[in-house]
Structure formats: structure tokens, C-alpha cells
Amino acid sequence: MSGAVSFPEILASALIVLGGCFALVGSWGLVRLPSLMERLHGPTKATTLGLGAMLVASVLWFQLGKGQWTTHELLVSVFLFVTAPISANMIAKVHLLRLRLGETSEPAGPAGMPDAPPGRAEWATYEAPHEGTPGDFVGD
Amino acid sequence: MLEWALAFGFGALGLALAMNLWRLIKGPGVADRILALDTMVINVIGLIVLAGIAGGSGTSFEAALLLAMVGFVGTVAYAKFLLRGDIIE
């Protein structure tokens, strides 16, 4: 290895190391945190950010180091940043529904069970399709 | 220098995958297992990206994009099935 290290190589290496650290922290949080609502934080924030750093490293390395312009990585990172909150929301809804049904042995989290909504209303996890929309069971 | 960074990245992602596998096996709830699978998919996307940098070819990113889409659809399908008892109503 020669003494002169090019600037794009330094930049890409730093971003790759940063991304690896964030991915590791996210999975460590998945192992260590005590309840599912807390465990959701690690993968949805730290791991997504780490992957974003790696994708930026890839864009910079191919652009500055090799002169090839690629945008696939940006597409992947945009897709991940859009979909991570949606999957986290779906997993949290599954957790709430199973807590509500009493089918789980795990703790509810630091905030405990959320209050039931007033009246005959239910949480969104129970919500049936509205009347007149496809999938309602009025006619069954 | 890039070789050392790539080696560190591969090691970190491998360790992260091992931790996710531990959570996938241990549970305790079914939502934990969905979350562990989702995180494993994200970490494997990172592995594909690092392999693309190491291999020097831009062709592996189609695989990364495809895996991102399949992972998201899989997570939502698991969650919808548990929430509604059906995937497409």
C-alpha cells in the first residue's frame, strides 16, 4: 500500500465504517432493549441510518473514485427511508393487538397499556371496513 | 484503506445478523420475530452494497433494490395477516 491515499477513498472508508457502527448499534439495541416498543427504535432508526451512510459511500466511491455515475443506490436509500416507518407502524399495531387479545407474554413497555378509546370505538387494529366500501360484511 | 473499511463493514454486518438471528430464535412474541426478519433483510441489503463496492461493479444494486421491495412487502404481509386474518381482503 502506497503512502498516498486519495480523498474519495478516505471519504468512502469513513462512511462505510460509520454505517457499520450504526448497523451494529441498531442490532445491539434489538437484542438489549427490554420491550418491543423500545426494540422498534433500534432497527428503524439506527440501522436505516447506517445503511444510508453505506449507500452514500457507494455513490461517492463510484462517482469520485471511478468516474461512473450511478443512482441506483439513491433509489434504494429513498425506498428504505420511506418504508421503514410504515413497517414499524405495522409491527407496533400487531404488538398492540396481541396485547389487547392477551395472547402475548411479553411486557407492554414503559408506558404500559394505552387507554381504551371512549365509547364503542376501538383501536385502529380492530377497525372493520366502513359500510359501503369493498370488504364490509353488512350483507353477509 | 478501503479494504480495511470494507472488512470492518462486513464484520459489523455479520455480527449484526447474528444478533438478529438470536432475537428471531428467542422471540418472545411474534412481533419480535417479524421485526428481527425485517432487520435481517436491511442488514443483508447492506452486505450486498458492500459486496458491490468490493467487486467494483454496479450491477449488484438491482439485487439490493429488489431485496428492499420484497422485504417490505413480506413484513407488511406478515403484519396484515396477524392483524386481519387475511392479506388481501
Side-chain angles (χ1 to χ4, degrees):
Chain A
M1 209 176 190
S2 64
V5 181
S6 65
F7 176 66
E9 194 173 340
I10 296 174
L11 205 58
S13 305
L15 279 170
I16 288 171
V17 169
L18 191 71
C21 288
F22 269 107
L24 203 56
V25 165
S27 294
W28 180 241
L30 183 66
V31 168
R32 281 288 290 175
L33 290 173
S35 76
L36 184 118
M37 285 302 190
E38 291 159 278
R39 281 199 280 271
L40 271 174
H41 291 297
T44 52
K45 297 182 186 72
T47 305
T48 309
L49 194 63
L51 203 63
M54 282 185 198
L55 289 159
V56 170
S58 172
V59 170
L60 288 177
W61 173 243
F62 280 106
Q63 168 73 17
L64 299 176
K66 299 198 163 195
Q68 302 169 359
W69 174 244
T70 55
T71 50
H72 296 81
E73 298 93 330
L74 289 179
L75 209 59
V76 174
S77 62
V78 165
F79 188 80
L80 278 173
F81 274 75
V82 167
T83 57
I86 301 174
S87 26
N89 185 19
M90 298 294 279
I91 292 170
K93 278 166 83 173
V94 168
H95 178 65
L96 282 179
L97 178 69
R98 291 181 75 79
L99 272 184
R100 187 80 158 164
L101 295 178
E103 286 184 11
T104 182
S105 58
E106 60 182 297
M113 287 276 287
D115 297 330
R120 289 185 62 242
E122 264 295 356
W123 287 344
T125 52
Y126 272 158
E127 191 178 15
H130 291 257
E131 278 184 31
T133 57
D136 65 347
F137 295 107
V138 173
D140 292 347
Chain B
M1 187 176 183
L2 193 66
E3 297 80 31
W4 292 102
L6 281 171
F8 176 82
F10 280 128
L13 284 177
L15 200 57
L17 275 172
M19 289 197 249
N20 296 340
L21 190 65
W22 183 84
R23 178 54 73 191
L24 179 65
I25 292 169
K26 186 158 181 293
V30 75
D32 287 292
R33 296 197 163 93
I34 301 175
L35 182 61
L37 275 177
D38 193 46
T39 316
M40 280 180 103
V41 169
I42 294 178
N43 283 328
V44 168
I45 294 168
L47 277 182
I48 292 176
V49 170
L50 288 190
I53 297 176
S57 71
T59 55
S60 64
F61 298 110
E62 281 85 357
L65 188 57
L66 202 62
L67 195 61
M69 290 181 176
V70 170
F72 172 65
V73 171
T75 305
V76 171
Y78 275 130
K80 281 298 270 187
F81 182 73
L82 287 168
L83 283 175
R84 304 288 301 163
D86 207 349
I87 296 172
I88 301 172
E89 296 179 49

